[in-house]
Amino acid sequence: MAEPIRNKRADPPIAPTPQNTPLNTAPISSHAQQPGVASIKEEDLDRAAAASIFAKDPRLVSLIQGRLGSLVGRSSGYIESLPTDVKRRVAGLKGIQKEHSKLEAEFQEEVLQLEKKYFAKFTPLYQQRAAIVNGQTEPTEDQVQAGEEDEEDDEETEAAPKEEKATESAEKVSGIPEFWLSAMKNQISLAEMITDRDEEALKSLTDIRMEYLDKPGFRLIFEFAENEYFTNKTITKTYYYQNESGYGGDFIYDHAEGDKINWKEDKDLTVRVEQKKQRNKTTKQTRIVKKTVPTESFFNFFSPPKAPTDDDESTTSDIEERLELDYQLGEDIKEKLIPRAIDWFTGEALAFEELDEEDFEDAEFDDEDDEDDEDASEDQDDEDESDEDDEDGSKPKQEAAECKQS
């Protein structure tokens, strides 16, 4: 009878991943071991040297990103090592999850239908707002009274009647001039896009509306009065969603399409003209060459970025960021600006936005303070060394800040 082979190497353990390994030890016998804190060591890294290497060879960064990306979602073998009965139960849970996903999709569809139902009720209010803004009608006494009820009884409200008398003697103003321009400039994400040149054209903006599509998606409609920049009466931008729902039943953004703007001669705000002198080497005569180059403008909003088609990692990442920003701008106009335009005009909505950001920042600072308190006693020596480094590097930092201000 043959003896078993001694000192046979066991199969190498399969490393678990956070995606497929429970926090606590599973009640299933397995050779896989959870990594312990003691087994993880961090070595000091010369960040400057690493940054220098990556800067010299950008392809190395793309290669590393590609390799790391290929590891995402790859199984560690933990699920495959489970007993057959357990695998069957896992498959059953996946079946239950599919039923849950179907209900999530139904929920999102019903939410969309509910939004459309109330949007139909909001529409007459938006029409009344547009009529008042453009001087076609005046608000009723009940509407004025309802608006004044929200005002605080302070010195500013007491001075209001005097201001009204002063404006009555002046030239009569129709509607609310520059209503939408003022509201957009108070909306942070939109204000960053508006240039000084854009403002003159946006003063002719008379209304911003939206409408739902028959299929998942929505359209933003910008209405303009006659102006010296373009001939369009309306400029629209349409956002389309994919037909299939995403994880959790949410609609997935697909792409956007904007109207072509019919610019009047030499009035295109999305480009600028650069002039350059050229001298003929033979005749010594000079001439001025004009070149049209793209420039920043709010009206670039109507020329949304296209989805990437090449395999360039850096280009793809940049376009994806622009696509995400473009979609977020559309959502801000749809969900914030249009429903509460008067609050953005007065600035009240901006106060609520700042409040939310302050709460978020305070929460972050609290977390950092907690971490600093926990590590203070252990890292005292490191802090002393960092203080010396700060003293040595304080002057360059100050100079950098001054350059930024200038």
Side-chain angles (χ1 to χ4, degrees):
M1 182 176 179
E3 295 183 0
I5 300 175
R6 300 181 182 279
N7 299 327
K8 180 182 178 182
R9 291 185 179 181
D11 295 335
I14 300 172
T17 64
Q19 286 77 13
N20 56 23
T21 305
L23 181 62
N24 300 320
T25 304
I28 301 169
S29 177
S30 172
H31 294 289
Q33 297 179 354
Q34 292 182 346
V37 176
S39 66
I40 301 176
K41 297 181 180 179
E42 295 183 0
E43 298 180 356
D44 295 336
L45 175 65
D46 190 339
R47 298 181 183 274
S52 177
I53 294 172
F54 292 144
K56 291 179 180 178
D57 191 358
R59 293 176 298 178
L60 181 60
V61 179
S62 299
L63 177 61
I64 294 174
Q65 289 177 340
R67 292 290 177 86
L68 292 176
S70 65
L71 296 176
V72 176
R74 180 176 293 183
S75 173
S76 67
Y78 174 77
I79 299 297
E80 290 78 359
S81 67
L82 296 174
T84 304
D85 291 345
V86 178
K87 287 183 180 178
R88 186 174 181 276
R89 296 175 191 130
V90 171
L93 293 182
K94 287 184 177 180
I96 294 175
Q97 187 62 44
K98 284 187 176 181
E99 293 297 322
H100 188 279
S101 298
K102 291 180 181 178
L103 291 176
E104 284 180 323
E106 292 178 9
F107 169 75
Q108 293 296 338
E109 181 61 32
E110 290 191 15
V111 169
L112 177 60
Q113 297 305 321
L114 187 62
E115 287 181 358
K116 290 182 178 181
K117 173 184 175 181
Y118 275 87
F119 177 74
K121 296 182 178 182
F122 295 148
T123 300
L125 301 180
Y126 298 153
Q127 293 172 345
Q128 293 178 36
R129 179 179 67 191
I132 294 172
V133 167
N134 295 309
Q136 299 170 356
T137 187
E138 295 293 332
T140 64
E141 289 298 327
D142 292 340
Q143 291 171 340
V144 173
Q145 185 176 359
E148 290 176 344
E149 287 177 356
D150 294 336
E151 297 179 358
E152 295 180 358
D153 188 18
D154 52 17
E155 295 180 357
E156 293 181 0
T157 55
E158 290 176 359
K162 297 180 181 179
E163 294 177 359
E164 288 178 2
K165 291 180 181 179
T167 54
E168 285 176 3
S169 59
E171 183 179 354
K172 186 175 181 181
V173 178
S174 175
I176 305 178
E178 303 178 18
F179 175 84
W180 286 104
L181 173 59
S182 301
M184 291 169 66
K185 290 177 67 176
N186 280 334
Q187 220 286 326
I188 300 174
S189 58
L190 293 175
E192 293 176 350
M193 300 174 60
I194 300 174
T195 67
D196 293 340
R197 297 171 67 208
D198 293 331
E199 291 191 19
E200 288 302 317
L202 290 174
K203 288 179 181 179
S204 62
L205 183 59
T206 59
D207 197 17
I208 302 178
R209 300 183 290 110
M210 67 84 61
E211 62 184 15
Y212 287 98
L213 307 180
D214 294 334
K215 57 183 180 179
F218 61 93
R219 179 177 292 111
L220 300 175
I221 305 170
F222 293 72
E223 297 186 357
F224 291 88
E226 184 70 27
N227 61 81
E228 61 178 303
Y229 293 93
F230 45 80
T231 59
N232 305 64
K233 298 299 181 183
T234 62
I235 306 177
T236 69
K237 184 171 182 180
T238 307
Y239 288 84
Y240 296 94
Y241 295 114
Q242 296 180 9
N243 293 327
E244 296 182 359
S245 300
Y247 188 81
D250 294 328
F251 293 105
I252 304 176
Y253 169 60
D254 187 69
H255 72 285
E257 297 177 1
D259 284 347
K260 178 183 177 182
I261 301 177
N262 300 317
W263 297 101
K264 295 182 180 180
E265 187 176 0
D266 298 330
K267 292 295 184 178
D268 190 343
L269 298 173
T270 63
V271 297
R272 72 174 187 273
V273 179
E274 293 183 348
Q275 296 183 354
K276 185 177 181 180
K277 287 185 177 181
Q278 290 184 345
R279 182 184 295 274
N280 190 300
K281 294 181 179 180
T282 305
T283 63
K284 304 301 182 181
Q285 292 181 344
T286 61
R287 66 173 182 174
I288 298 177
V289 178
K290 294 183 179 181
K291 182 180 178 182
T292 301
V293 295
T295 188
E296 294 183 356
S297 171
F298 167 77
F299 291 94
N300 289 323
F301 175 72
F302 298 101
S303 299
K306 303 295 182 183
T309 55
D310 53 16
D311 297 330
D312 188 347
E313 294 281 344
S314 59
T315 304
T316 300
S317 176
D318 177 64
I319 295 179
E320 286 178 349
E321 289 181 2
R322 291 170 57 198
L323 285 169
E324 183 178 353
L325 175 61
D326 180 74
Y327 173 70
Q328 188 58 52
L329 287 171
E331 281 289 319
D332 287 345
I333 295 173
K334 170 179 174 282
E335 300 291 341
K336 296 180 179 181
L337 182 64
I338 293 178
R340 299 186 177 275
I342 183 59
D343 292 338
W344 290 106
F345 175 79
T346 61
E348 295 175 22
L350 183 62
F352 285 104
E353 289 273 308
E354 291 175 348
L355 230 106
D356 293 339
E357 290 180 2
E358 288 175 1
D359 293 341
F360 179 74
E361 291 175 358
D362 290 342
E364 284 188 343
F365 287 132
D366 289 342
D367 291 341
E368 291 177 2
D369 292 339
D370 293 341
E371 292 177 2
D372 292 342
D373 293 340
E374 292 175 0
D375 298 337
S377 59
E378 298 178 2
D379 300 335
Q380 186 63 41
D381 295 337
D382 294 338
E383 289 177 3
D384 294 338
E385 293 178 1
S386 64
D387 290 341
E388 294 177 0
D389 294 339
D390 290 342
E391 292 177 1
D392 295 337
S394 60
K395 189 173 182 180
K397 289 181 180 178
Q398 185 176 0
E399 291 176 354
E402 291 175 355
C403 293
K404 185 176 181 182
Q405 291 175 357
S406 63

